[in-house]
Amino acid sequence: MLAVSESPQKDTSQCEGERIGLVFFIQENNRGFFVQLIIVGENMANKLTGVSLFTGAGGMDIGFENAGIEVVFANELMQEAAATYSNNRLTDVMVNDDINNVMDSLGKFQGVDFVFGGPPCQGFSVAGKMNPDDKRSKLIFTFLDVVEKIRPQAFVMENVKALGVLGKWELVRKKYLERANSLGYTCVPFILNATEYGVSQKRERVFFIGVKDNSDPFFEYVMKELLIHQKNSAPIIRDLLHSLGRAGTEYNPDTCTAKITFATRPIMRKSPYAGMYFNGQGRPIDVDSYANTLPASMGGNKTPFVDEDYLYGEASSDWVVNYHKGLLDGTIIPEFKEAPERLRRITIKEASRIQSFPDDYIFCGNKGMVYTQIGNAVPCKMAEAVAKAVLTYLGMERSSA
Protein backbone atom coordinates (compact mmCIF):
# COMPACT_ATOMS: atom_id res chain seq x y z
CA MET A 1 0.00 0.00 0.00
CA LEU A 2 2.65 2.53 1.03
CA ALA A 3 6.30 2.93 0.20
CA VAL A 4 7.75 4.70 3.23
CA SER A 5 11.37 5.81 3.50
CA GLU A 6 12.87 7.54 6.50
CA SER A 7 14.95 10.51 5.42
CA PRO A 8 16.16 13.95 6.49
CA GLN A 9 13.78 16.70 5.48
CA LYS A 10 14.30 17.68 1.87
CA ASP A 11 12.45 18.79 -1.24
CA THR A 12 10.01 16.12 -2.42
CA SER A 13 10.84 17.05 -6.01
CA GLN A 14 13.93 14.82 -5.62
CA CYS A 15 11.55 11.85 -5.77
CA GLU A 16 9.87 12.95 -9.01
CA GLY A 17 11.82 10.59 -11.27
CA GLU A 18 10.42 7.48 -9.63
CA ARG A 19 7.06 8.79 -8.50
CA ILE A 20 3.97 6.68 -8.99
CA GLY A 21 0.75 8.37 -7.92
CA LEU A 22 1.34 10.90 -5.15
CA VAL A 23 4.47 11.66 -3.15
CA PHE A 24 4.26 13.81 -0.07
CA PHE A 25 6.27 14.61 3.03
CA ILE A 26 5.24 13.90 6.62
CA GLN A 27 7.06 15.35 9.59
CA GLU A 28 6.49 13.70 12.94
CA ASN A 29 8.51 14.11 16.13
CA ASN A 30 11.20 16.01 14.21
CA ARG A 31 11.71 13.11 11.83
CA GLY A 32 10.91 13.25 8.14
CA PHE A 33 9.13 10.60 6.12
CA PHE A 34 8.47 10.47 2.41
CA VAL A 35 5.27 8.58 1.70
CA GLN A 36 4.46 7.42 -1.80
CA LEU A 37 0.88 6.49 -2.64
CA ILE A 38 0.38 4.00 -5.39
CA ILE A 39 -3.10 4.92 -6.55
CA VAL A 40 -5.18 2.26 -8.19
CA GLY A 41 -8.35 2.97 -10.10
CA GLU A 42 -10.90 4.92 -8.06
CA ASN A 43 -13.60 2.46 -9.04
CA MET A 44 -12.54 -1.05 -8.20
CA ALA A 45 -13.14 -3.93 -10.59
CA ASN A 46 -15.89 -5.47 -8.48
CA LYS A 47 -19.01 -3.45 -7.75
CA LEU A 48 -18.99 -2.27 -4.15
CA THR A 49 -22.18 -1.99 -2.10
CA GLY A 50 -23.37 0.40 0.56
CA VAL A 51 -26.04 0.95 3.19
CA SER A 52 -27.35 4.50 3.43
CA LEU A 53 -28.62 5.87 6.75
CA PHE A 54 -30.47 9.12 7.51
CA THR A 55 -30.71 9.31 3.75
CA GLY A 56 -32.90 12.37 3.29
CA ALA A 57 -33.55 13.18 -0.36
CA GLY A 58 -30.43 11.25 -1.37
CA GLY A 59 -27.72 13.85 -1.92
CA MET A 60 -25.02 11.74 -0.29
CA ASP A 61 -26.25 8.66 -2.15
CA ILE A 62 -25.90 10.41 -5.51
CA GLY A 63 -22.28 11.13 -4.66
CA PHE A 64 -21.54 7.56 -3.57
CA GLU A 65 -23.38 6.13 -6.59
CA ASN A 66 -21.39 8.39 -8.92
CA ALA A 67 -18.24 7.02 -7.30
CA GLY A 68 -19.34 3.51 -8.24
CA ILE A 69 -21.08 2.23 -5.11
CA GLU A 70 -24.39 0.40 -5.37
CA VAL A 71 -26.79 1.28 -2.55
CA VAL A 72 -28.62 -1.84 -1.39
CA PHE A 73 -30.55 -0.31 1.52
CA ALA A 74 -31.59 3.23 2.44
CA ASN A 75 -33.49 4.50 5.46
CA GLU A 76 -35.24 7.82 6.04
CA LEU A 77 -37.89 8.94 8.53
CA MET A 78 -39.30 11.95 6.64
CA GLN A 79 -42.03 10.71 4.32
CA GLU A 80 -41.51 13.37 1.64
CA ALA A 81 -37.75 12.86 1.51
CA ALA A 82 -38.19 9.08 1.29
CA ALA A 83 -40.63 9.59 -1.60
CA THR A 84 -38.13 11.86 -3.34
CA TYR A 85 -35.46 9.19 -3.01
CA SER A 86 -37.66 6.42 -4.38
CA ASN A 87 -38.99 8.48 -7.27
CA ASN A 88 -35.51 9.10 -8.61
CA ARG A 89 -34.30 5.48 -8.69
CA LEU A 90 -35.19 2.47 -10.77
CA THR A 91 -34.59 0.11 -7.86
CA ASP A 92 -36.42 1.09 -4.69
CA VAL A 93 -34.28 0.22 -1.67
CA MET A 94 -35.82 2.86 0.59
CA VAL A 95 -37.41 1.95 3.91
CA ASN A 96 -39.41 4.89 5.27
CA ASP A 97 -39.31 4.26 9.01
CA ASP A 98 -37.53 5.10 12.25
CA ILE A 99 -34.01 3.63 12.20
CA ASN A 100 -34.66 1.95 15.55
CA ASN A 101 -37.61 0.06 14.08
CA VAL A 102 -35.47 -1.52 11.35
CA MET A 103 -32.31 -2.13 13.38
CA ASP A 104 -32.99 -5.83 13.97
CA SER A 105 -33.35 -6.51 10.24
CA LEU A 106 -30.01 -5.00 9.23
CA GLY A 107 -27.92 -8.05 10.05
CA LYS A 108 -28.78 -9.45 6.61
CA PHE A 109 -26.58 -6.75 5.09
CA GLN A 110 -23.41 -8.08 6.70
CA GLY A 111 -20.63 -8.00 4.15
CA VAL A 112 -21.56 -4.75 2.40
CA ASP A 113 -18.58 -2.51 1.80
CA PHE A 114 -19.86 0.83 3.11
CA VAL A 115 -22.19 2.32 5.66
CA PHE A 116 -22.66 6.05 5.11
CA GLY A 117 -25.02 8.84 6.09
CA GLY A 118 -25.56 12.14 7.84
CA PRO A 119 -27.46 11.84 11.14
CA PRO A 120 -29.52 14.91 12.15
CA CYS A 121 -27.21 17.72 13.19
CA GLN A 122 -29.50 20.21 14.94
CA GLY A 123 -28.28 19.25 18.39
CA PHE A 124 -24.67 20.08 17.46
CA SER A 125 -25.18 23.03 15.12
CA VAL A 126 -24.17 26.57 16.08
CA ALA A 127 -27.30 27.60 14.18
CA GLY A 128 -29.39 25.55 16.61
CA LYS A 129 -29.63 25.34 20.39
CA MET A 130 -26.52 23.14 20.73
CA ASN A 131 -28.35 21.01 23.25
CA PRO A 132 -26.43 17.85 24.24
CA ASP A 133 -29.69 16.34 25.51
CA ASP A 134 -31.40 16.71 22.13
CA LYS A 135 -32.53 13.19 21.20
CA ARG A 136 -31.25 13.74 17.67
CA SER A 137 -27.73 14.15 19.05
CA LYS A 138 -27.76 10.50 20.10
CA LEU A 139 -28.24 9.33 16.53
CA ILE A 140 -24.53 9.51 15.72
CA PHE A 141 -24.17 6.54 18.08
CA THR A 142 -27.15 4.81 16.46
CA PHE A 143 -25.12 5.11 13.26
CA LEU A 144 -22.34 3.14 14.96
CA ASP A 145 -24.88 0.58 16.16
CA VAL A 146 -25.56 -0.15 12.49
CA VAL A 147 -21.83 -0.32 11.77
CA GLU A 148 -21.53 -2.90 14.54
CA LYS A 149 -24.29 -5.02 13.00
CA ILE A 150 -23.09 -4.82 9.40
CA ARG A 151 -19.30 -4.68 9.82
CA PRO A 152 -18.57 -2.86 6.54
CA GLN A 153 -15.08 -2.32 5.17
CA ALA A 154 -15.48 1.39 5.82
CA PHE A 155 -17.98 3.96 7.04
CA VAL A 156 -18.44 7.66 6.38
CA MET A 157 -20.55 9.83 8.70
CA GLU A 158 -21.23 13.47 7.87
CA ASN A 159 -22.26 16.17 10.33
CA VAL A 160 -21.89 19.88 11.09
CA LYS A 161 -18.40 21.30 11.50
CA ALA A 162 -19.07 22.11 15.16
CA LEU A 163 -19.11 18.42 16.07
CA GLY A 164 -15.62 18.09 14.67
CA VAL A 165 -13.96 21.15 16.20
CA LEU A 166 -15.78 22.76 19.14
CA GLY A 167 -14.53 22.15 22.67
CA LYS A 168 -18.16 21.87 23.75
CA TRP A 169 -18.36 18.57 21.86
CA GLU A 170 -14.90 17.23 22.72
CA LEU A 171 -16.23 14.52 25.03
CA VAL A 172 -18.82 13.50 22.44
CA ARG A 173 -16.09 13.24 19.78
CA LYS A 174 -13.89 11.23 22.12
CA LYS A 175 -16.73 8.86 22.97
CA TYR A 176 -17.56 8.43 19.27
CA LEU A 177 -13.96 7.72 18.26
CA GLU A 178 -13.46 5.33 21.17
CA ARG A 179 -16.61 3.44 20.23
CA ALA A 180 -15.48 3.19 16.60
CA ASN A 181 -12.07 1.95 17.74
CA SER A 182 -13.67 -0.67 20.00
CA LEU A 183 -15.52 -1.99 16.95
CA GLY A 184 -12.22 -2.43 15.12
CA TYR A 185 -12.20 0.76 13.04
CA THR A 186 -9.49 3.37 12.69
CA CYS A 187 -11.56 6.57 12.54
CA VAL A 188 -10.54 10.17 11.96
CA PRO A 189 -12.71 13.30 11.51
CA PHE A 190 -11.90 15.52 8.51
CA ILE A 191 -13.19 19.09 8.12
CA LEU A 192 -13.99 19.86 4.48
CA ASN A 193 -15.31 22.92 2.66
CA ALA A 194 -17.77 22.23 -0.15
CA THR A 195 -16.35 25.02 -2.34
CA GLU A 196 -13.17 22.96 -2.73
CA TYR A 197 -15.12 20.01 -4.11
CA GLY A 198 -17.06 21.54 -6.97
CA VAL A 199 -19.94 22.94 -4.87
CA SER A 200 -20.70 26.67 -5.10
CA GLN A 201 -21.46 26.97 -1.41
CA LYS A 202 -19.36 27.86 1.64
CA ARG A 203 -20.56 24.81 3.52
CA GLU A 204 -18.08 23.33 6.00
CA ARG A 205 -18.78 19.87 7.32
CA VAL A 206 -17.05 17.13 9.29
CA PHE A 207 -16.71 13.66 7.81
CA PHE A 208 -15.85 10.85 10.20
CA ILE A 209 -14.10 8.24 8.06
CA GLY A 210 -13.53 4.78 9.52
CA VAL A 211 -11.73 1.78 8.01
CA LYS A 212 -11.96 -1.72 9.50
CA ASP A 213 -8.95 -3.69 10.75
CA ASN A 214 -6.57 -0.95 9.72
CA SER A 215 -3.17 -0.69 11.40
CA ASP A 216 -1.77 1.92 9.01
CA PRO A 217 0.09 4.50 11.16
CA PHE A 218 -0.23 7.03 8.32
CA PHE A 219 -3.98 6.64 7.79
CA GLU A 220 -4.82 10.24 8.67
CA TYR A 221 -2.03 11.70 6.54
CA VAL A 222 -2.80 9.46 3.58
CA MET A 223 -6.55 10.08 3.68
CA LYS A 224 -5.97 13.82 3.96
CA GLU A 225 -3.81 13.70 0.84
CA LEU A 226 -6.37 11.63 -1.03
CA LEU A 227 -9.05 14.18 -0.16
CA ILE A 228 -6.78 16.95 -1.43
CA HIS A 229 -6.32 14.94 -4.61
CA GLN A 230 -10.11 15.07 -5.12
CA LYS A 231 -10.32 18.87 -4.90
CA ASN A 232 -12.11 20.57 -7.76
CA SER A 233 -12.84 24.29 -7.91
CA ALA A 234 -16.48 25.32 -7.98
CA PRO A 235 -18.07 27.82 -10.38
CA ILE A 236 -19.19 31.15 -8.98
CA ILE A 237 -22.93 31.54 -8.44
CA ARG A 238 -23.37 33.71 -11.54
CA ASP A 239 -21.88 31.01 -13.79
CA LEU A 240 -23.74 28.23 -11.97
CA LEU A 241 -27.24 29.73 -12.15
CA HIS A 242 -27.20 31.80 -15.31
CA SER A 243 -28.31 29.03 -17.67
CA LEU A 244 -31.48 28.37 -15.64
CA GLY A 245 -32.94 31.69 -16.72
CA ARG A 246 -34.79 34.26 -14.67
CA ALA A 247 -37.15 33.20 -11.90
CA GLY A 248 -40.61 32.54 -13.30
CA THR A 249 -39.41 31.25 -16.67
CA GLU A 250 -39.97 27.75 -18.09
CA TYR A 251 -36.99 26.02 -16.52
CA ASN A 252 -36.84 28.07 -13.34
CA PRO A 253 -40.29 28.42 -11.71
CA ASP A 254 -40.67 31.13 -9.07
CA THR A 255 -41.17 29.05 -5.93
CA CYS A 256 -40.63 31.45 -3.02
CA THR A 257 -42.76 34.57 -2.76
CA ALA A 258 -41.68 35.70 0.72
CA LYS A 259 -41.22 39.46 0.65
CA ILE A 260 -37.85 41.06 1.28
CA THR A 261 -38.09 44.04 3.63
CA PHE A 262 -35.53 46.37 5.21
CA ALA A 263 -34.67 46.18 8.88
CA THR A 264 -35.12 49.44 10.77
CA ARG A 265 -32.27 48.56 13.13
CA PRO A 266 -29.75 46.82 10.90
CA ILE A 267 -26.83 44.89 12.35
CA MET A 268 -23.92 45.90 10.17
CA ARG A 269 -20.84 43.96 9.16
CA LYS A 270 -17.92 44.82 6.92
CA SER A 271 -19.23 42.62 4.11
CA PRO A 272 -22.47 43.54 2.32
CA TYR A 273 -23.31 39.82 2.39
CA ALA A 274 -23.09 39.42 6.16
CA GLY A 275 -24.87 41.20 8.99
CA MET A 276 -28.63 41.61 9.26
CA TYR A 277 -30.02 44.65 7.48
CA PHE A 278 -32.98 42.84 5.96
CA ASN A 279 -35.77 41.31 8.04
CA GLY A 280 -35.74 37.56 8.43
CA GLN A 281 -32.67 35.37 8.28
CA GLY A 282 -32.43 35.05 4.52
CA ARG A 283 -29.27 36.87 3.48
CA PRO A 284 -28.11 38.17 0.10
CA ILE A 285 -25.86 35.98 -2.05
CA ASP A 286 -22.78 37.38 -3.73
CA VAL A 287 -23.23 36.07 -7.28
CA ASP A 288 -19.56 36.78 -8.01
CA SER A 289 -18.56 34.34 -5.29
CA TYR A 290 -20.24 31.45 -3.45
CA ALA A 291 -23.44 31.11 -1.44
CA ASN A 292 -23.30 30.69 2.30
CA THR A 293 -24.63 27.41 3.70
CA LEU A 294 -28.19 26.86 2.47
CA PRO A 295 -30.33 26.21 5.57
CA ALA A 296 -33.03 23.59 5.92
CA SER A 297 -35.32 26.43 7.05
CA MET A 298 -35.58 27.87 3.52
CA GLY A 299 -38.98 28.41 1.95
CA GLY A 300 -40.02 31.66 3.63
CA ASN A 301 -38.09 34.72 4.78
CA LYS A 302 -35.09 32.55 5.70
CA THR A 303 -34.50 31.87 2.02
CA PRO A 304 -31.37 33.57 0.62
CA PHE A 305 -31.83 36.04 -2.20
CA VAL A 306 -30.02 37.52 -5.20
CA ASP A 307 -30.07 40.70 -7.26
CA GLU A 308 -31.60 39.24 -10.41
CA ASP A 309 -30.73 42.19 -12.64
CA TYR A 310 -27.08 41.95 -11.62
CA LEU A 311 -27.10 38.16 -11.96
CA TYR A 312 -28.24 38.42 -15.59
CA GLY A 313 -26.00 41.33 -16.53
CA GLU A 314 -28.71 44.00 -16.74
CA ALA A 315 -27.20 46.03 -13.91
CA SER A 316 -23.57 47.08 -13.53
CA SER A 317 -23.44 46.53 -9.77
CA ASP A 318 -25.20 44.58 -7.03
CA TRP A 319 -27.97 46.69 -5.46
CA VAL A 320 -27.14 45.21 -2.05
CA VAL A 321 -23.57 46.55 -2.20
CA ASN A 322 -24.78 50.08 -2.85
CA TYR A 323 -27.41 49.86 -0.10
CA HIS A 324 -24.81 48.57 2.36
CA LYS A 325 -22.46 51.43 1.45
CA GLY A 326 -25.22 53.97 1.97
CA LEU A 327 -26.01 52.58 5.43
CA LEU A 328 -22.35 52.74 6.42
CA ASP A 329 -21.73 56.30 5.26
CA GLY A 330 -25.08 57.59 6.58
CA THR A 331 -26.53 58.62 3.23
CA ILE A 332 -29.33 56.07 3.65
CA ILE A 333 -31.60 56.05 6.71
CA PRO A 334 -33.07 52.57 7.27
CA GLU A 335 -36.84 52.33 7.20
CA PHE A 336 -39.30 49.47 7.04
CA LYS A 337 -40.41 48.94 3.47
CA GLU A 338 -40.14 46.39 0.69
CA ALA A 339 -36.89 46.03 -1.19
CA PRO A 340 -36.91 46.65 -4.95
CA GLU A 341 -38.25 43.82 -7.10
CA ARG A 342 -34.84 43.05 -8.57
CA LEU A 343 -34.02 41.43 -5.20
CA ARG A 344 -35.77 38.06 -5.01
CA ARG A 345 -35.48 34.73 -3.18
CA ILE A 346 -33.67 31.84 -4.81
CA THR A 347 -35.89 29.22 -6.41
CA ILE A 348 -36.03 25.49 -5.74
CA LYS A 349 -34.18 24.85 -9.00
CA GLU A 350 -31.43 27.26 -7.98
CA ALA A 351 -31.12 25.86 -4.46
CA SER A 352 -30.97 22.34 -5.88
CA ARG A 353 -28.23 23.31 -8.32
CA ILE A 354 -26.23 25.05 -5.57
CA GLN A 355 -26.37 21.77 -3.64
CA SER A 356 -25.15 20.03 -6.84
CA PHE A 357 -28.24 17.87 -7.38
CA PRO A 358 -28.83 16.85 -11.01
CA ASP A 359 -31.15 19.27 -12.82
CA ASP A 360 -33.65 16.48 -13.55
CA TYR A 361 -33.94 15.38 -9.91
CA ILE A 362 -37.58 15.26 -8.84
CA PHE A 363 -38.50 16.43 -5.33
CA CYS A 364 -41.71 15.35 -3.61
CA GLY A 365 -43.80 17.33 -1.14
CA ASN A 366 -44.96 20.93 -0.84
CA LYS A 367 -42.56 23.79 -1.55
CA GLY A 368 -41.53 24.20 2.07
CA MET A 369 -40.73 20.50 2.41
CA VAL A 370 -38.73 20.54 -0.82
CA TYR A 371 -36.62 23.47 0.37
CA THR A 372 -36.06 21.58 3.64
CA GLN A 373 -34.92 18.45 1.81
CA ILE A 374 -32.47 20.47 -0.26
CA GLY A 375 -31.07 22.36 2.72
CA ASN A 376 -30.66 19.15 4.74
CA ALA A 377 -28.78 17.34 1.99
CA VAL A 378 -25.09 16.55 1.80
CA PRO A 379 -23.94 18.22 -1.44
CA CYS A 380 -23.71 15.48 -4.07
CA LYS A 381 -20.33 16.45 -5.48
CA MET A 382 -18.81 16.78 -2.03
CA ALA A 383 -20.04 13.29 -1.12
CA GLU A 384 -18.66 11.93 -4.40
CA ALA A 385 -15.20 13.33 -3.64
CA VAL A 386 -15.17 11.75 -0.18
CA ALA A 387 -16.38 8.41 -1.55
CA LYS A 388 -13.68 8.39 -4.24
CA ALA A 389 -10.98 9.16 -1.69
CA VAL A 390 -12.08 6.29 0.56
CA LEU A 391 -12.42 3.96 -2.42
CA THR A 392 -8.89 4.78 -3.45
CA TYR A 393 -7.61 4.04 0.03
CA LEU A 394 -9.40 0.69 0.10
CA GLY A 395 -7.96 -0.10 -3.32
CA MET A 396 -4.49 0.61 -2.00
CA GLU A 397 -5.14 -1.74 0.91
CA ARG A 398 -6.24 -4.48 -1.47
CA SER A 399 -3.23 -4.02 -3.73
CA SER A 400 -0.87 -4.42 -0.78
CA ALA A 401 -2.61 -7.48 0.64
Side-chain angles (χ1 to χ4, degrees):
M1 176 178 65
L2 298 175
V4 182
S5 58
E6 195 169 329
S7 167
Q9 187 169 349
K10 57 183 177 181
D11 186 349
T12 57
S13 62
Q14 296 181 30
C15 298
E16 285 291 329
E18 301 180 31
R19 189 172 85 171
I20 302 175
L22 302 174
V23 177
F24 59 98
F25 185 79
I26 296 171
Q27 186 170 358
E28 186 177 80
N29 298 327
N30 298 317
R31 301 171 69 193
F33 298 89
F34 285 101
V35 178
Q36 177 173 282
L37 304 186
I38 302 173
I39 297 188
V40 299
E42 289 172 336
N43 292 327
M44 298 182 213
N46 297 323
K47 191 79 169 180
L48 299 185
T49 54
V51 162
S52 170
L53 305 176
F54 309 102
T55 304
M60 197 169 186
D61 294 57
I62 291 171
F64 273 67
E65 288 165 340
N66 287 345
I69 296 164
E70 179 184 359
V71 179
V72 295
F73 174 85
N75 175 243
E76 170 57 37
L77 181 61
M78 182 191 293
Q79 184 176 357
E80 294 86 352
T84 292
Y85 187 92
S86 296
N87 275 280
N88 285 279
R89 285 162 178 80
L90 295 176
T91 304
D92 189 7
V93 297
M94 169 58 68
V95 175
N96 177 208
D97 201 351
D98 188 309
I99 183 66
N100 294 298
N101 294 338
V102 300
M103 186 69 70
D104 290 342
S105 67
L106 296 179
K108 63 185 177 184
F109 293 107
Q110 282 188 8
V112 302
D113 301 289
F114 280 89
V115 169
F116 64 89
C121 61
Q122 291 88 342
F124 301 115
S125 175
V126 293
K129 296 182 179 180
M130 300 188 74
N131 179 10
D133 296 322
D134 188 318
K135 291 182 179 179
R136 293 169 295 187
S137 301
K138 315 297 183 186
L139 291 173
I140 63 171
F141 296 102
T142 305
F143 180 95
L144 288 180
D145 290 341
V146 176
V147 170
E148 183 175 12
K149 275 188 172 292
I150 293 177
R151 306 290 297 161
Q153 289 188 59
F155 68 81
V156 178
M157 190 193 79
E158 178 268 358
N159 216 275
V160 289
K161 178 185 176 182
L163 179 59
V165 298
L166 286 190
K168 181 181 180 69
W169 305 123
E170 183 177 358
L171 292 179
V172 175
R173 279 194 303 277
K174 182 180 179 182
K175 181 180 177 182
Y176 185 91
L177 295 173
E178 287 177 347
R179 172 83 190 285
N181 185 256
S182 73
L183 297 176
Y185 290 83
T186 297
C187 181
V188 176
F190 297 90
I191 306 297
L192 305 179
N193 191 326
T195 60
E196 297 182 325
Y197 296 94
V199 181
S200 306
Q201 184 184 175
K202 292 176 280 189
R203 190 184 190 100
E204 289 186 293
R205 288 295 185 266
V206 62
F207 288 83
F208 287 83
I209 299 175
V211 176
K212 185 174 66 175
D213 300 331
N214 178 22
S215 59
D216 177 10
F218 298 108
F219 172 71
E220 181 174 359
Y221 303 108
V222 174
M223 187 55 65
K224 186 178 294 184
E225 193 68 16
L226 291 174
L227 289 165
I228 290 172
H229 187 61
Q230 289 295 330
K231 285 187 177 182
N232 177 34
S233 60
I236 62 171
I237 292 294
R238 181 193 300 278
D239 294 339
L240 180 74
L241 300 185
H242 193 274
S243 63
L244 283 174
R246 285 178 169 268
T249 55
E250 181 180 2
Y251 298 108
N252 193 18
D254 193 357
T255 51
C256 183
T257 57
K259 295 179 179 179
I260 302 170
T261 57
F262 300 119
T264 56
R265 296 181 178 180
I267 299 173
M268 303 300 297
R269 296 290 185 268
K270 184 178 181 180
S271 168
Y273 304 101
M276 295 183 68
Y277 42 101
F278 295 89
N279 292 311
Q281 295 180 26
R283 292 181 179 176
I285 294 176
D286 181 359
V287 301
D288 292 318
S289 182
Y290 303 123
N292 289 321
T293 299
L294 298 188
S297 54
M298 290 186 296
N301 67 5
K302 294 182 180 180
T303 311
F305 56 91
V306 294
D307 179 345
E308 187 163 59
D309 287 354
Y310 185 56
L311 171 62
Y312 288 98
E314 296 182 12
S316 59
S317 61
D318 192 329
W319 194 92
V320 167
V321 173
N322 298 326
Y323 179 67
H324 176 263
K325 182 177 182 297
L327 289 176
L328 287 178
D329 63 22
T331 57
I332 293 178
I333 305 300
E335 57 179 316
F336 179 80
K337 62 178 182 180
E338 285 188 35
E341 289 186 359
R342 61 190 275 188
L343 300 187
R344 53 89 175 162
R345 309 281 181 184
I346 62 171
T347 67
I348 284 173
K349 283 289 187 183
E350 290 167 338
S352 175
R353 189 176 277 193
I354 291 172
Q355 280 281 61
S356 68
F357 278 99
D359 282 344
D360 60 355
Y361 209 69
I362 300 169
F363 292 90
C364 300
N366 61 39
K367 292 176 183 178
M369 293 304 299
V370 171
Y371 273 111
T372 296
Q373 291 173 55
I374 294 170
N376 272 333
V378 179
C380 310
K381 290 184 177 179
M382 190 181 198
E384 181 178 349
V386 173
K388 285 182 175 180
V390 180
L391 276 170
T392 302
Y393 186 86
L394 294 179
M396 289 158 46
E397 278 200 322
R398 287 185 175 184
S399 68
S400 67

